[in-house]
Amino acid sequence: MAATILFDLDDTIYPRQTGIMHQIGLRMVDFIRAEFHLDEAEALALRRHYFLTYGTTMRGLQINHLIDPNR
């Protein structure tokens, strides 16, 4: 079992061309859609709002919805 998970969120390990950040973004929108029963446009808008307001989408979900990042 892995003891450490490394996220490359600034494209230093994997080149931007791999599309990893794009895939992470799609997964975040899918989570928000399912969790809050929103359509894609609403989920994307909420994700963007939280990112711009709190610096990360996850922080916005934690503050506004008490989402546990470890679940």
Side-chain angles (χ1 to χ4, degrees):
M1 176 188 292
T4 303
I5 298 175
L6 175 66
F7 289 95
D8 177 33
L9 299 181
D10 61 355
D11 297 321
T12 56
I13 296 174
Y14 300 103
R16 184 176 307 265
Q17 296 83 353
T18 64
I20 289 174
M21 288 307 298
H22 177 71
Q23 291 301 315
I24 290 171
L26 293 175
R27 295 291 304 266
M28 284 192 282
V29 170
D30 285 346
F31 172 82
I32 292 169
R33 285 177 68 183
E35 187 73 18
F36 304 113
H37 308 288
L38 302 174
D39 65 31
E40 186 172 357
E42 293 168 322
L44 189 57
L46 186 60
R47 177 183 169 229
R48 181 170 170 73
H49 170 70
Y50 286 163
F51 178 78
L52 294 173
T53 303
Y54 300 103
T56 68
T57 302
M58 186 71 238
R59 189 68 183 136
L61 291 170
Q62 288 175 294
I63 290 170
N64 291 289
H65 305 283
L66 304 176
I67 297 294
D68 180 1
N70 297 312
R71 75 177 202 185

